[in-house]
Amino acid sequence: MAIISLKNVSKIYRTAAGEQLAALDNVNLEIEEGEFVAVVGESGSGKTTLLNMIGGLDQPTEGSVLVDSHDITSAGDRELSLFRNRSIGFIFQSFHLQPLQTALANVMVPLLFADASWPEARKKSETSLGLVGLADKVNQRANQLSAGQCQRVAIARAIINSPRILLADEPTGNLDVHTGTDIINLLKQINMEQKTTVLLVTHERDVASQAQRMITIKEGLIISDAAIKAEGDENKQ
Amino acid sequence: MKTSNRLMLACEGVMTKKVRTFMLGIGVSVGTAALIFLVSLIFGAKAYVDEKVGGIRENLLNVGIKPPPPHNPQPLDDSAYRQLLQIKGETGEVVDVYRELPIAPRPYIKVKNQPANNWLKVVSVDEGLYQNNPDNPIPDFKYRHVEPVDESEITFPEADETEATEEEKDTNFIPVIVPNVFVEALTSFAGDERKSLKQFFDILQGQEPFYVLVQGKGYRCKVVAVDNTVSSWSIAVPFRYGEEWNRHQGEQFPDYKWPNYDRFVVEATDIKHLDDIKEKIAAAGYQPQPTEAQEIGIAVSRGAMYLFLLAVTFCLVIALVSAIGIFNGLSISIMEQAPRIGILRSVGATRTDISSIYLFEAAIIGIVGGIIGLVAAHLLMWGSDIALKDFLSDVTNIRDIQTLFVWSLPEAFYIRTGAVGLGVITSLLAGVGPAYRASCLNPAVVLREG
């Protein structure tokens, strides 16, 4: 059963000159629970807009976005916020951490909106940081961490509420190849172990090829949507 | 989201920009300190003046001649006195009526080392007016026979020639009461007048006698009290002297038309009945007026109120400037922190959460600024109190000022909490706009642009 379903979704921006620009044009898409999907495309093709629609950060101009059979396009602010807090984990290219805060304090933020108690929040944050391999960096400030470690903290923050969907927007964009590979492996691990649906936006084909399914977007249209055969599968054949 | 969590995120936001928070708080501090300082000074100084003016007997009412036209003036004579006493009988609201008789022609007053002059008016007053004062009864103010001396035989022995014990036994004087505004006026002189001021002080404190000259005879007098019911530039003696002295003068000037009473003082049981009594006195054809002390009290209150309004206006201007500063500061802060707002929204913050967090930030600025202002105001008041007391002591000879500011509870508490509260409210009001704008930011846009 599809956990994410986009039906005839369009997003039209109005430029400063008054022209209409379609970031997404009548997109139809279904993603099954537990899938690891990569969305590729050039800059400005509509990848991030697609991600924001699914995450409830942005509203489509037309069409509907169903997550777990619930139409989030008709949800109010409070309902959407609760949805983002409980069901969605966001990972961004530029991490968006508070530089003067510790890794623990950064990871804890979603729990503040879930009304968790302080001891519970601390315990869950430490566990989450342990899952991403940063158990020894709990009290380190974000500005004292490397880029790879920062992205791990961001991932720990994204998974702290055990969301059903992880939305990663260019998570390796600011990382070197080696660190980027580590991060993708971490996302794959989360996908495998926690059965979390992962939607990865990237413009790097190498990174996208790590997913189970690749969707290519161009000028707001899905131009291809295909499963990726794993290396092991090819060898078997 | 729990309020404590909102507060924690607000503190986090404030701590990431400490210098800006401090600078924004300075505006609130200045306003708070200025408000506390000015209001404390105004009310403190008023309290001092009120204390010096003394317990104003608000239940007293002056009764004078109703000015013509169109009214036919009723003379203030014995029949008027009886009529006012009857008003007392009718209403049951008047305790007593006291008479004030001018001595005419105006007697000369002889003070040691000074030429005799008649610049002070001498009146005789019913003793009961002072003896029945519940706040400050003056039992010494009563008639006693004093043998006058010829003007040419008046002497003023030097202070050191008078034994203290003899001074204590000295009862050969007419008791005199002077108005306290008169004392204040005298004490405000300074500089080269110090020597004569010292003499005035000695006279006012009853340490030095003086003489009232009536028909070439000198009556030895001493000030026994200072009271606010005595008119400015007057001195009051017990009523019977007025009758005696006017009788002596009458022998000298048989054709002279002697004046009636200067005024009556009506004492009401309760201030609440004064308006009713005023109406009845006016209906009887006389002019009811507040006493001079009441007028001074009203003037002081009115002056204090004008100063208070001026101070409030001044502080409101500061508050407005502070509010504009906080508005701008928070607006810039929100623009700078837009990605943070985006991330908070992405992890589950509602619009209400975001606006609350920024309102808390504004409140923190207000509270921090208010507390700094409170401390600054106390330091400023402490220093100014010492400096102002020294200054006034040097230039006016007033040495009995305890403080010119409000330090005592509960007034001090109200002024300080009011000022800090105003600072916090100003900050909150200034924060409403930016907080609303923050809540309206599109998280997708700010995350993309951040």
Side-chain angles (χ1 to χ4, degrees), chain B residues 204-274:
Chain B
L204 291 170
Q205 288 167 12
Q207 290 170 3
E208 185 173 311
F210 61 95
Y211 286 84
V212 172
L213 303 176
V214 179
Q215 288 299 300
K217 299 283 186 185
Y219 291 83
R220 191 164 176 265
C221 298
K222 276 188 181 180
V223 173
V224 292
V226 177
D227 195 272
N228 56 46
T229 50
V230 179
S231 307
S232 306
W233 311 109
S234 299
I235 62 172
V237 297
F239 190 78
R240 201 166 141 187
Y241 290 109
E243 290 182 316
E244 281 183 19
W245 292 345
N246 280 348
R247 197 163 53 244
H248 293 324
Q249 308 254 37
E251 291 162 5
Q252 180 77 13
F253 307 102
D255 298 328
Y256 184 81
K257 190 177 184 311
W258 296 98
N260 292 310
Y261 301 114
D262 253 10
R263 62 167 181 166
F264 294 118
V265 180
V266 168
E267 183 177 6
T269 48
D270 198 315
I271 188 173
K272 285 184 285 189
H273 301 141
L274 275 187

Coordinates of all heavy atoms in Angstrom, one line a residue, chain B residues 204-274:
Chain B
L204 N 11.5 82.4 65.5 CA 10.4 81.4 65.2 C 10.4 80.2 66.1 O 9.4 79.6 66.3 CB 10.7 80.9 63.7 CG 10.4 81.9 62.6 CD1 10.9 81.4 61.3 CD2 9.0 82.2 62.6
Q205 N 11.6 79.9 66.7 CA 11.6 78.7 67.6 C 11.3 79.1 69.0 O 11.5 78.3 69.9 CB 13.0 78.0 67.5 CG 13.1 77.3 66.1 CD 14.5 76.8 65.8 OE1 15.4 76.9 66.7 NE2 14.7 76.4 64.6
G206 N 10.9 80.4 69.2 CA 10.6 80.9 70.5 C 11.8 81.1 71.4 O 11.6 81.3 72.6
Q207 N 13.0 81.1 70.9 CA 14.1 81.3 71.7 C 14.4 82.8 71.9 O 15.2 83.2 72.8 CB 15.4 80.6 71.1 CG 15.2 79.1 71.1 CD 16.3 78.4 70.3 OE1 17.2 79.1 69.7 NE2 16.2 77.1 70.3
E208 N 13.9 83.6 71.0 CA 14.2 85.1 71.1 C 12.8 85.8 71.2 O 12.0 85.6 70.3 CB 15.0 85.6 70.0 CG 15.4 87.0 70.1 CD 16.4 87.5 69.0 OE1 17.4 86.8 68.8 OE2 16.1 88.5 68.4
P209 N 12.6 86.7 72.1 CA 11.3 87.4 72.2 C 11.4 88.6 71.2 O 12.4 89.0 70.7 CB 11.3 87.9 73.6 CG 12.7 88.0 74.1 CD 13.5 87.0 73.3
F210 N 10.2 89.1 71.0 CA 10.1 90.3 70.2 C 8.9 91.1 70.8 O 8.2 90.6 71.7 CB 9.9 90.1 68.7 CG 8.7 89.3 68.4 CD1 7.5 90.0 68.0 CD2 8.7 87.9 68.4 CE1 6.3 89.3 67.7 CE2 7.5 87.2 68.1 CZ 6.4 87.9 67.7
Y211 N 8.7 92.3 70.4 CA 7.6 93.1 71.0 C 6.6 93.6 69.9 O 7.0 93.9 68.8 CB 8.2 94.4 71.6 CG 8.9 94.0 72.9 CD1 10.3 93.6 72.9 CD2 8.3 94.2 74.2 CE1 10.9 93.3 74.1 CE2 8.9 93.8 75.4 CZ 10.2 93.4 75.3 OH 10.9 93.1 76.5
V212 N 5.3 93.6 70.3 CA 4.3 94.2 69.5 C 4.0 95.5 70.2 O 3.7 95.6 71.4 CB 3.0 93.3 69.5 CG1 1.9 94.0 68.8 CG2 3.3 92.0 68.8
L213 N 4.1 96.6 69.4 CA 3.9 97.9 69.9 C 2.5 98.4 69.7 O 2.1 98.6 68.5 CB 4.9 98.9 69.3 CG 6.4 98.5 69.4 CD1 7.3 99.5 68.6 CD2 6.8 98.5 70.9
V214 N 1.8 98.6 70.8 CA 0.4 99.1 70.7 C 0.3 100.4 71.5 O 0.6 100.3 72.7 CB -0.6 98.1 71.1 CG1 -2.1 98.7 71.0 CG2 -0.5 96.8 70.3
Q215 N 0.0 101.5 70.9 CA -0.2 102.8 71.7 C 1.1 103.1 72.5 O 1.0 103.4 73.7 CB -1.4 102.7 72.6 CG -2.7 102.8 71.8 CD -2.8 104.1 71.1 OE1 -2.8 105.2 71.7 NE2 -2.9 104.0 69.8
G216 N 2.3 102.9 71.9 CA 3.5 103.3 72.6 C 3.9 102.3 73.7 O 4.9 102.5 74.4
K217 N 3.1 101.2 73.8 CA 3.4 100.2 74.8 C 3.9 98.9 74.1 O 3.4 98.5 73.1 CB 2.2 99.8 75.6 CG 1.6 101.0 76.4 CD 2.5 101.2 77.7 CE 1.8 102.3 78.6 NZ 2.7 102.7 79.7
G218 N 5.0 98.3 74.7 CA 5.5 97.1 74.1 C 5.1 95.9 74.8 O 5.2 95.8 76.0
Y219 N 4.5 94.9 74.1 CA 4.0 93.7 74.7 C 5.0 92.6 74.3 O 5.2 92.3 73.1 CB 2.6 93.3 74.2 CG 1.5 94.2 74.7 CD1 1.2 95.4 74.1 CD2 0.8 93.9 75.9 CE1 0.3 96.3 74.6 CE2 -0.1 94.7 76.4 CZ -0.4 95.9 75.8 OH -1.4 96.8 76.3
R220 N 5.7 92.0 75.2 CA 6.7 91.0 75.0 C 6.0 89.7 74.4 O 5.1 89.2 75.0 CB 7.4 90.7 76.3 CG 8.7 89.8 76.1 CD 9.5 89.9 77.3 NE 10.7 89.1 77.3 CZ 10.8 87.8 77.7 NH1 9.7 87.3 78.3 NH2 11.9 87.1 77.6
C221 N 6.5 89.2 73.3 CA 5.8 88.1 72.6 C 6.9 87.0 72.3 O 8.1 87.3 72.2 CB 5.2 88.5 71.3 SG 3.9 89.7 71.5
K222 N 6.4 85.8 72.3 CA 7.3 84.7 71.8 C 6.4 83.7 70.9 O 5.2 83.5 71.2 CB 7.8 83.8 73.0 CG 9.0 84.4 73.6 CD 9.5 83.4 74.7 CE 10.8 84.0 75.4 NZ 11.3 83.0 76.3
V223 N 7.1 83.2 69.9 CA 6.4 82.2 69.0 C 6.3 80.9 69.8 O 7.3 80.4 70.3 CB 7.2 82.0 67.7 CG1 6.5 80.9 66.9 CG2 7.2 83.3 66.9
V224 N 5.1 80.4 69.9 CA 4.9 79.1 70.6 C 4.6 78.0 69.6 O 4.7 76.8 69.9 CB 3.7 79.2 71.6 CG1 4.1 80.1 72.8 CG2 2.4 79.6 71.0
A225 N 4.2 78.3 68.4 CA 3.9 77.3 67.4 C 3.9 77.8 66.0 O 3.7 79.0 65.8 CB 2.6 76.6 67.7
V226 N 4.0 76.9 65.1 CA 3.9 77.2 63.7 C 2.7 76.4 63.2 O 2.7 75.2 63.4 CB 5.2 76.8 62.9 CG1 5.0 77.1 61.4 CG2 6.4 77.6 63.5
D227 N 1.8 77.1 62.5 CA 0.6 76.3 62.1 C 0.0 76.8 60.8 O 0.1 78.0 60.5 CB -0.5 76.5 63.2 CG -1.6 75.4 63.0 OD1 -2.5 75.7 62.3 OD2 -1.5 74.4 63.6
N228 N -0.5 75.9 60.1 CA -0.9 76.2 58.7 C -2.2 77.0 58.6 O -2.6 77.4 57.5 CB -1.0 75.0 57.9 CG -1.9 73.9 58.5 OD1 -3.0 74.3 58.9 ND2 -1.5 72.7 58.6
T229 N -2.9 77.2 59.7 CA -4.2 77.9 59.6 C -4.0 79.4 59.7 O -4.9 80.2 59.4 CB -5.2 77.5 60.7 OG1 -4.5 77.5 61.9 CG2 -5.8 76.1 60.4
V230 N -2.8 79.9 60.0 CA -2.5 81.3 60.1 C -2.1 81.8 58.7 O -1.4 81.2 58.0 CB -1.3 81.6 61.1 CG1 -1.0 83.1 61.1 CG2 -1.6 81.1 62.5
S231 N -2.7 82.9 58.3 CA -2.5 83.4 56.9 C -1.1 83.9 56.8 O -0.4 84.3 57.7 CB -3.4 84.6 56.7 OG -4.8 84.3 56.9
S232 N -0.6 83.9 55.5 CA 0.8 84.3 55.2 C 0.9 85.8 55.7 O 0.0 86.6 55.6 CB 1.0 84.2 53.7 OG 0.7 82.9 53.3
W233 N 2.1 86.1 56.1 CA 2.5 87.4 56.5 C 1.6 88.0 57.6 O 1.3 89.1 57.6 CB 2.5 88.4 55.3 CG 3.3 87.8 54.1 CD1 2.8 87.4 53.0 CD2 4.7 87.6 54.1 NE1 3.8 86.9 52.2 CE2 5.0 87.0 52.9 CE3 5.8 87.9 55.0 CZ2 6.3 86.7 52.5 CZ3 7.0 87.5 54.6 CH2 7.3 86.9 53.4
S234 N 1.2 87.0 58.5 CA 0.4 87.4 59.6 C 1.0 86.7 60.8 O 1.7 85.7 60.7 CB -1.0 86.9 59.5 OG -1.6 87.5 58.4
I235 N 0.8 87.3 62.0 CA 1.0 86.5 63.3 C -0.3 86.6 64.1 O -1.0 87.5 64.0 CB 2.2 87.1 64.1 CG1 1.9 88.5 64.5 CG2 3.5 87.0 63.3 CD1 3.0 89.1 65.5
A236 N -0.5 85.5 64.8 CA -1.8 85.4 65.5 C -1.5 85.4 67.0 O -0.6 84.7 67.5 CB -2.5 84.1 65.1
V237 N -2.3 86.2 67.8 CA -2.3 86.2 69.2 C -3.7 85.7 69.8 O -4.6 85.8 69.0 CB -1.9 87.6 69.8 CG1 -0.5 88.0 69.3 CG2 -2.9 88.6 69.4
P238 N -3.7 85.3 71.0 CA -5.1 85.0 71.6 C -6.1 86.1 71.4 O -5.7 87.3 71.5 CB -4.8 84.6 73.0 CG -3.4 84.2 73.0 CD -2.7 85.0 72.0
F239 N -7.3 85.7 71.3 CA -8.4 86.6 70.9 C -8.5 87.8 71.8 O -8.7 89.0 71.3 CB -9.7 85.8 70.8 CG -10.8 86.6 70.2 CD1 -10.9 86.7 68.8 CD2 -11.8 87.2 71.0 CE1 -11.9 87.4 68.2 CE2 -12.8 88.0 70.4 CZ -12.9 88.0 69.0
R240 N -8.4 87.6 73.1 CA -8.7 88.7 74.0 C -7.7 89.9 73.9 O -8.1 91.0 74.1 CB -8.6 88.1 75.5 CG -9.3 89.0 76.5 CD -9.4 88.2 77.8 NE -9.2 89.1 78.9 CZ -9.2 88.7 80.2 NH1 -9.3 87.4 80.4 NH2 -9.0 89.5 81.1
Y241 N -6.5 89.6 73.4 CA -5.5 90.7 73.2 C -6.1 91.7 72.1 O -6.0 92.9 72.2 CB -4.2 90.2 72.7 CG -3.4 89.5 73.9 CD1 -3.2 88.2 73.8 CD2 -2.9 90.3 74.9 CE1 -2.6 87.5 74.9 CE2 -2.3 89.6 76.0 CZ -2.1 88.3 75.9 OH -1.4 87.6 76.9
G242 N -6.7 91.1 71.1 CA -7.2 91.9 70.0 C -8.3 92.8 70.5 O -8.3 94.0 70.2
E243 N -9.2 92.3 71.4 CA -10.2 93.1 72.0 C -9.6 94.2 72.8 O -10.0 95.4 72.7 CB -11.1 92.2 72.8 CG -12.0 91.3 72.0 CD -12.9 90.4 72.9 OE1 -12.5 89.9 73.9 OE2 -14.1 90.3 72.5
E244 N -8.6 93.8 73.6 CA -8.0 94.8 74.5 C -7.3 95.9 73.7 O -7.5 97.1 73.9 CB -6.9 94.2 75.4 CG -7.5 93.4 76.6 CD -6.4 92.9 77.5 OE1 -5.3 93.3 77.4 OE2 -6.8 91.9 78.3
W245 N -6.5 95.5 72.7 CA -5.7 96.4 72.0 C -6.5 97.3 71.1 O -6.3 98.5 71.0 CB -4.7 95.7 71.1 CG -3.6 95.0 71.9 CD1 -3.3 95.2 73.2 CD2 -2.7 93.9 71.4 NE1 -2.3 94.4 73.6 CE2 -1.9 93.6 72.5 CE3 -2.5 93.3 70.2 CZ2 -0.9 92.6 72.4 CZ3 -1.5 92.3 70.1 CH2 -0.7 92.0 71.2
N246 N -7.6 96.8 70.5 CA -8.5 97.6 69.8 C -9.2 98.6 70.7 O -9.5 99.8 70.3 CB -9.5 96.8 69.0 CG -8.9 96.2 67.7 OD1 -7.8 96.6 67.3 ND2 -9.6 95.3 67.1
R247 N -9.5 98.2 71.9 CA -10.1 99.1 72.9 C -9.2 100.3 73.2 O -9.6 101.4 73.2 CB -10.5 98.4 74.1 CG -11.6 99.1 75.0 CD -12.3 98.2 76.0 NE -11.3 97.5 76.9 CZ -11.2 96.2 76.9 NH1 -12.0 95.4 76.1 NH2 -10.4 95.6 77.7
H248 N -7.9 99.9 73.4 CA -6.9 101.0 73.7 C -6.8 102.0 72.5 O -6.8 103.2 72.7 CB -5.5 100.4 73.9 CG -5.4 99.6 75.2 ND1 -6.1 99.9 76.3 CD2 -4.7 98.4 75.4 CE1 -5.8 99.0 77.2 NE2 -4.9 98.1 76.7
Q249 N -6.8 101.4 71.3 CA -6.7 102.2 70.2 C -7.9 103.1 70.0 O -7.9 104.2 69.6 CB -6.5 101.4 68.9 CG -5.4 100.3 69.0 CD -4.2 100.7 68.2 OE1 -3.8 101.9 68.1 NE2 -3.5 99.7 67.6
G250 N -9.1 102.5 70.4 CA -10.3 103.3 70.3 C -10.3 104.5 71.2 O -10.9 105.5 70.9
E251 N -9.7 104.4 72.4 CA -9.6 105.5 73.2 C -8.8 106.6 72.6 O -9.0 107.8 72.7 CB -8.9 105.1 74.6 CG -9.7 104.2 75.4 CD -8.9 103.5 76.5 OE1 -7.7 103.7 76.6 OE2 -9.5 102.6 77.1
Q252 N -7.8 106.2 71.8 CA -6.9 107.2 71.1 C -7.6 107.8 69.9 O -7.4 109.0 69.6 CB -5.6 106.5 70.7 CG -4.6 107.3 69.9 CD -3.9 108.2 70.9 OE1 -3.9 108.1 72.1 NE2 -3.2 109.3 70.3
F253 N -8.4 106.9 69.2 CA -9.1 107.4 68.0 C -10.6 107.2 68.1 O -11.1 106.2 67.5 CB -8.5 106.6 66.7 CG -7.0 106.6 66.6 CD1 -6.3 105.5 67.0 CD2 -6.4 107.7 66.1 CE1 -4.9 105.5 66.9 CE2 -5.0 107.7 66.0 CZ -4.2 106.6 66.3
P254 N -11.3 108.0 68.8 CA -12.7 107.8 69.0 C -13.5 107.9 67.7 O -14.6 107.2 67.7 CB -13.1 109.0 69.9 CG -12.0 110.0 69.8 CD -10.7 109.3 69.4
D255 N -13.1 108.6 66.7 CA -13.9 108.7 65.5 C -13.5 107.6 64.4 O -14.1 107.6 63.3 CB -13.7 110.1 64.8 CG -14.1 111.2 65.7 OD1 -15.1 110.9 66.5 OD2 -13.5 112.2 65.7
Y256 N -12.6 106.8 64.8 CA -12.1 105.7 63.8 C -13.2 104.7 63.7 O -13.8 104.2 64.6 CB -10.8 105.1 64.4 CG -10.2 104.1 63.4 CD1 -9.4 104.5 62.3 CD2 -10.4 102.7 63.6 CE1 -8.8 103.6 61.5 CE2 -9.9 101.8 62.7 CZ -9.1 102.2 61.7 OH -8.5 101.3 60.8
K257 N -13.4 104.2 62.4 CA -14.4 103.2 62.1 C -13.7 101.8 62.2 O -12.9 101.5 61.4 CB -15.0 103.3 60.7 CG -16.2 102.4 60.5 CD -16.8 102.7 59.1 CE -18.0 101.9 58.8 NZ -17.9 100.5 59.1
W258 N -14.0 101.1 63.3 CA -13.2 99.9 63.6 C -13.7 98.8 62.7 O -14.8 98.6 62.4 CB -13.4 99.5 65.1 CG -12.8 100.5 65.9 CD1 -13.4 101.6 66.5 CD2 -11.4 100.7 66.2 NE1 -12.6 102.4 67.2 CE2 -11.3 101.9 67.0 CE3 -10.3 100.0 65.8 CZ2 -10.1 102.4 67.4 CZ3 -9.1 100.5 66.3 CH2 -9.0 101.7 67.0
P259 N -12.7 98.0 62.2 CA -13.1 96.9 61.3 C -13.8 95.7 62.1 O -13.7 95.6 63.3 CB -11.7 96.4 60.8 CG -10.8 96.7 61.9 CD -11.3 98.0 62.5
N260 N -14.5 95.0 61.3 CA -15.2 93.8 61.8 C -14.1 92.7 61.8 O -12.9 92.9 61.6 CB -16.4 93.4 61.0 CG -17.5 94.4 61.2 OD1 -17.8 94.7 62.3 ND2 -18.0 94.9 60.1
Y261 N -14.6 91.5 61.9 CA -13.7 90.3 61.9 C -13.1 90.1 60.5 O -13.7 90.4 59.5 CB -14.4 89.0 62.3 CG -15.0 89.1 63.7 CD1 -16.3 89.1 63.9 CD2 -14.1 89.2 64.8 CE1 -16.9 89.2 65.2 CE2 -14.7 89.3 66.1 CZ -16.0 89.3 66.3 OH -16.6 89.4 67.5
D262 N -11.8 89.7 60.4 CA -11.2 89.4 59.2 C -11.8 88.2 58.5 O -12.1 88.1 57.3 CB -9.7 89.1 59.4 CG -8.9 90.2 58.9 OD1 -9.4 91.3 58.6 OD2 -7.6 90.1 58.8
R263 N -12.1 87.2 59.3 CA -12.6 85.9 58.7 C -13.2 85.1 59.9 O -12.8 85.3 61.1 CB -11.6 85.1 58.0 CG -10.4 84.7 58.8 CD -9.6 83.7 58.2 NE -8.5 83.3 59.1 CZ -7.7 82.3 58.9 NH1 -7.9 81.4 57.9 NH2 -6.7 82.0 59.8
F264 N -14.0 84.1 59.5 CA -14.4 83.1 60.5 C -13.8 81.8 60.0 O -13.7 81.6 58.7 CB -15.9 83.0 60.6 CG -16.6 84.2 61.2 CD1 -17.5 84.9 60.5 CD2 -16.2 84.5 62.5 CE1 -18.1 86.0 61.1 CE2 -16.8 85.6 63.1 CZ -17.8 86.4 62.4
V265 N -13.5 80.9 60.9 CA -13.0 79.6 60.5 C -14.1 78.6 61.0 O -14.3 78.5 62.2 CB -11.6 79.2 61.0 CG1 -11.2 77.8 60.6 CG2 -10.6 80.3 60.6
V266 N -14.7 77.9 60.1 CA -15.7 76.9 60.4 C -15.1 75.6 60.5 O -14.4 75.2 59.5 CB -16.9 77.0 59.4 CG1 -17.8 75.8 59.6 CG2 -17.7 78.3 59.6
E267 N -15.3 74.9 61.5 CA -14.8 73.5 61.6 C -15.9 72.5 61.5 O -16.9 72.5 62.3 CB -14.1 73.3 63.0 CG -13.4 71.9 63.1 CD -12.6 71.8 64.4 OE1 -12.7 72.7 65.2 OE2 -12.0 70.7 64.5
A268 N -15.8 71.6 60.5 CA -16.9 70.6 60.3 C -16.5 69.3 60.9 O -15.3 69.0 61.1 CB -17.1 70.4 58.8
T269 N -17.5 68.5 61.2 CA -17.2 67.2 61.8 C -16.5 66.3 60.8 O -15.6 65.5 61.2 CB -18.5 66.5 62.2 OG1 -19.4 66.5 61.1 CG2 -19.1 67.1 63.5
D270 N -16.8 66.5 59.6 CA -16.3 65.6 58.6 C -16.1 66.3 57.3 O -16.9 67.1 56.9 CB -17.2 64.4 58.4 CG -16.6 63.2 57.7 OD1 -15.8 63.4 56.7 OD2 -16.8 62.1 58.1
I271 N -15.0 66.0 56.6 CA -14.7 66.7 55.3 C -15.8 66.4 54.3 O -16.1 67.2 53.4 CB -13.3 66.2 54.8 CG1 -13.0 67.1 53.5 CG2 -13.3 64.8 54.5 CD1 -11.6 66.8 53.0
K272 N -16.5 65.3 54.5 CA -17.6 64.9 53.5 C -18.7 65.9 53.5 O -19.5 66.0 52.6 CB -18.1 63.5 53.9 CG -17.2 62.4 53.5 CD -17.8 61.0 53.7 CE -17.7 60.7 55.2 NZ -18.1 59.3 55.5
H273 N -18.9 66.6 54.7 CA -20.0 67.5 54.8 C -19.6 69.0 54.3 O -20.5 69.8 54.3 CB -20.4 67.6 56.3 CG -20.9 66.3 56.8 ND1 -20.6 65.9 58.1 CD2 -21.6 65.3 56.2 CE1 -21.1 64.7 58.3 NE2 -21.7 64.3 57.2
L274 N -18.4 69.2 54.0 CA -17.9 70.5 53.6 C -18.7 71.2 52.5 O -19.1 72.3 52.6 CB -16.4 70.5 53.3 CG -15.5 70.6 54.4 CD1 -14.0 70.8 53.9 CD2 -15.8 71.8 55.4

